[in-house]
Amino acid sequence: MSEDSFNVLLAAVEPYIRRQNTQMRAAVPVDERLAVTLRFLATGRSMQDLHYSAAISRSLLSVIIPETCKAIVSVLHRSYMTFPQTPDDWKEISRGFEEQWQFPNCGGALDGKHVRITQPPHSGSFYYNYKGYFSIILMTLVNANYDFISVSVGINGRVSDGGVLEHTDFGERLKKNKLALPPNSDTTENMNFVFVGDEAFPLHPNLLKPFSQKTLTPERRIFNYRLSRARRVVENAFGIMANRFRVFHTALNMKLTSIDSVVLACCVLHNFLRRRDATAYSPPQYVDFFNGPGAVPWQYQQL
């Protein structure tokens, strides 16, 4: 994060995290509150480590970090994670997929990410996932530029991606056809406007997933290849975010509500830095790119 971006963020969150001095002690300055929160997100260091480097008690850090994360989400969400409201908004996103990945009528790539946590008290195996650790799931919709369009976090890790989607606001609106998607008469080749996901998601008129490997034909293999080109943007977005916010490489040991705030703060900061400090935050080698017909496997060059 550049100094200029830090100052912009500081000015935005200051009204929400400033605290007054008391007769007992002076309040932690606003810039230190923000800096220690960003250091926690970027390094994944424990409260014990931050206690020594920041000279702030662990009990106070456990209050400052969730509060600041919540403030970051509040001030950045509206400007840097705007959910499309009209057919024209969705068509603008689809242009990115068609120009960059040659996949028309696509409003975004869906996927879930397991966020490792320590076992919550008295939870049994409720948060224990098939990968062998405790987690909550971050469900996201990503555009062609690796920006998060919609995020939902908090469902226990035992649930599949398809099950999580049903419990999100986006999934509910998709099921009830309330996303204001472009009509077929206004799409390329008059086809359905769709979102792309992996095999874990259910089929839907507006949700595509790959054909099973057991029933592949040459045409279906080409379709799977094209779909994977569009869908991998969400995998890359997770990779970029986890590489910069190393807190995702640790098991978060906080209250569940605090974990939700931490994860959401990382998502909005990802969008914030992708727009303001893209070269430093995600250099060109961090992302995929299309380099003409020679970059396409020979068996797919016909399309």
Side-chain angles (χ1 to χ4, degrees), residues 240-261:
I240 293 169
M241 182 172 68
N243 184 66
R244 291 307 191 189
F245 296 102
R246 308 291 288 185
V247 70
F248 288 106
H249 291 245
T250 65
L252 290 169
N253 186 14
M254 309 170 76
K255 295 180 180 179
L256 291 175
T257 53
S258 297
I259 292 175
D260 291 350
S261 296

Side-chain angles (χ1 to χ4, degrees), residues 80-97:
Y80 291 93
M81 196 181 290
T82 306
F83 191 80
Q85 301 294 326
T86 66
D88 287 340
D89 293 339
W90 288 114
K91 286 165 63 178
E92 180 64 27
I93 293 173
S94 71
R95 275 192 285 273
F97 279 98

Side-chain angles (χ1 to χ4, degrees), residues 36-275:
V36 74
T37 300
L38 295 176
R39 188 177 300 121
F40 170 77
L41 299 179
T43 65
R45 293 169 58 186
S46 66
M47 299 290 182
Q48 180 71 21
D49 289 340
L50 291 174
H51 160 64
Y52 291 113
S53 62
I56 302 174
S57 69
R58 284 175 291 175
S59 59
L60 186 55
L61 284 172
S62 66
V63 175
I64 288 176
I65 291 174
E67 281 185 350
T68 307
C69 285
K70 188 175 181 180
I72 290 172
V73 174
S74 178
V75 299
L76 294 185
H77 189 275
R78 180 174 297 180
S79 300
Y80 291 93
M81 196 181 290
T82 306
F83 191 80
Q85 301 294 326
T86 66
D88 287 340
D89 293 339
W90 288 114
K91 286 165 63 178
E92 180 64 27
I93 293 173
S94 71
R95 275 192 285 273
F97 279 98
E98 187 159 12
E99 293 173 0
Q100 296 186 46
W101 309 116
Q102 296 75 56
F103 200 95
N105 305 324
C106 181
L110 276 168
D111 202 9
K113 175 179 175 60
H114 286 272
V115 179
R116 189 187 294 265
I117 64 173
T118 58
Q119 181 183 9
H122 314 296
S123 64
S125 61
F126 187 68
Y127 291 90
Y128 195 75
N129 64 33
Y130 71 96
K131 296 185 177 184
Y133 57 84
F134 296 92
S135 69
I136 58 174
I137 297 178
L138 168 65
M139 179 62 60
T140 67
L141 179 69
V142 176
N143 67 17
N145 295 317
Y146 310 100
D147 294 333
F148 296 111
I149 303 171
S150 173
V151 297
S152 178
V153 64
I155 301 296
N156 69 83
R158 292 173 60 90
V159 182
S160 68
D161 285 351
V164 173
L165 181 62
E166 294 182 358
H167 292 86
T168 65
D169 179 64
F170 172 81
E172 285 288 331
R173 295 170 68 177
L174 176 65
K175 185 177 180 180
K176 297 178 181 179
N177 297 317
K178 293 185 177 181
L179 289 173
L181 301 178
N184 287 23
S185 59
D186 201 20
T187 61
T188 302
E189 299 293 336
N190 296 327
M191 297 187 295
N192 286 5
F193 195 87
V194 298
F195 304 95
V196 293
D198 59 20
E199 296 87 347
F201 291 98
L203 278 174
H204 183 275
N206 301 109
L207 177 58
L208 294 180
K209 68 178 187 177
F211 284 102
S212 170
Q213 295 294 317
K214 298 179 181 179
T215 61
L216 287 183
T217 63
E219 293 77 13
R220 290 182 176 186
R221 191 181 300 275
I222 292 172
F223 171 82
N224 282 1
Y225 166 70
R226 287 295 181 183
L227 185 141
S228 70
R229 280 162 57 92
R231 195 192 67 80
R232 66 185 172 185
V233 296
V234 66
E235 301 283 1
N236 288 356
F238 286 149
I240 293 169
M241 182 172 68
N243 184 66
R244 291 307 191 189
F245 296 102
R246 308 291 288 185
V247 70
F248 288 106
H249 291 245
T250 65
L252 290 169
N253 186 14
M254 309 170 76
K255 295 180 180 179
L256 291 175
T257 53
S258 297
I259 292 175
D260 291 350
S261 296
V262 166
V263 174
L264 291 174
C266 290
C267 291
V268 295
L269 283 171
H270 168 88
N271 286 5
F272 175 75
L273 294 173
R274 279 282 300 164
R275 299 186 194 181

